[in-house]
Structures are given as C-alpha cells and as structure tokens.
Amino acid sequence: MLYALAPFIGWLVSGTMKFMINYLQYGKEARNKIGNGGFPSTHTTVMVSTISFIGLHEGFATPIFGLGVAVTFIIIIDATGLRRAVGKHATAINLMVKEHATTEEKEILRESMGHTKWEILGGIVLGVLVGLLLYLLSPIISGLL
C-alpha cells in the first residue's frame, strides 16, 4: 500500500512547498504560478521519493529500483531540456503577440514550463527525504492500514 502512497505523498509535499515558496515571493499571485516549473521540481520529487522508498525497502540492487532510476532520468532530461525549450518558445511567442495582436487576441502562453538544475536538485533532495521518512514510518503506517 505504501508503494502507491509514496508518489502521492511526494507530490503533496512538493506541491505544498512550491506553493509556499511562491506565496512568499509573489503573494496572492502565487495561485497563477501553480503548474509546471518552479522550485522544487514536483515531477522529480514524485519519482525520487518513490524510488528512494523502493530502494530502502526492497534493495538498491533490484530490477524495479533500476527501472525507477531510468524513468527518473528520462523525466529529468525532459524537464530540463524539452519543457524548458517550450517555455523559451512561449516567451518569444508572447513577445510577438504583444507587438502584433489586437487587444482581444492577446492570449498569453505560460512561460514557466521547465526546470533549472537547482529546481531539479531540490526535487532530488526533497524526494530522498520523503522516501527516507516513509521508510522510517512504514512500520507505523502499515499498522494503521
């Protein structure tokens, strides 16, 4: 059961932390910052918390841990490469729209799509901490379920 809860708990912790950081930076505008991008990387936290828990519980030399690491690398490469490039394209398109569109045509694209290396690192650290905490609490949680 905890294997299914690990990604959800990682998502919840990371999303809450990201919202709190955005709220401190942007105040009420933090609601508009919800989504892809920002510190920490939620995608990374979800994967790393899950594979950390699996590694601690099942072992780091298991096939499922290796598969988890491979999928995590794909997600990180996507977040720092493709989605970051999409965000840069959105910035360029938004500039063109601002210059050439009429008032009613100005639909602004979301520019914060990918992650910096620091945002990914934050997701990795947070994911390891969440996975470790779940592992340490697993006897208690299993007793409750």
Side-chain angles (χ1 to χ4, degrees):
M1 179 69 168
L2 280 176
Y3 294 111
L5 286 177
F8 175 75
I9 293 170
W11 169 81
L12 185 64
V13 170
S14 180
T16 302
M17 182 181 211
K18 187 184 295 193
F19 179 78
M20 290 170 37
I21 289 169
N22 283 336
Y23 189 79
L24 291 173
Q25 286 182 328
Y26 304 106
K28 292 183 181 181
E29 286 296 311
R31 295 180 75 99
N32 298 330
K33 301 286 183 182
I34 295 172
N36 297 326
F39 183 88
S41 165
T42 301
H43 289 82
T44 305
T45 303
V46 165
M47 288 302 300
V48 173
S49 61
T50 304
I51 64 169
S52 294
F53 179 69
I54 290 171
L56 290 164
H57 200 265
E58 300 292 327
F60 294 100
T62 58
I64 194 68
F65 179 77
L67 177 63
V69 170
V71 172
T72 301
F73 277 126
I74 292 168
I75 288 171
I76 289 171
I77 290 166
D78 176 64
T80 57
L82 178 65
R83 287 192 310 139
R84 195 145 171 83
V86 167
K88 289 178 182 178
H89 289 154
T91 301
I93 291 168
N94 286 341
L95 285 172
M96 289 189 294
V97 167
K98 286 177 186 174
E99 291 175 12
H100 302 291
T102 63
T103 307
E104 59 274 354
E105 293 176 332
K106 290 187 179 183
E107 183 178 333
I108 302 299
L109 301 174
R110 182 180 179 91
E111 296 177 10
S112 177
M113 294 295 290
H115 289 287
T116 66
K117 289 174 178 52
W118 291 110
E119 292 166 345
I120 295 293
L121 182 61
I124 291 170
V125 170
L126 184 58
V128 168
L129 293 174
V130 169
L132 180 60
L133 185 63
L134 283 173
Y135 176 72
L136 294 173
L137 294 176
S138 62
I140 297 168
I141 296 170
S142 295
L144 296 173
L145 300 175

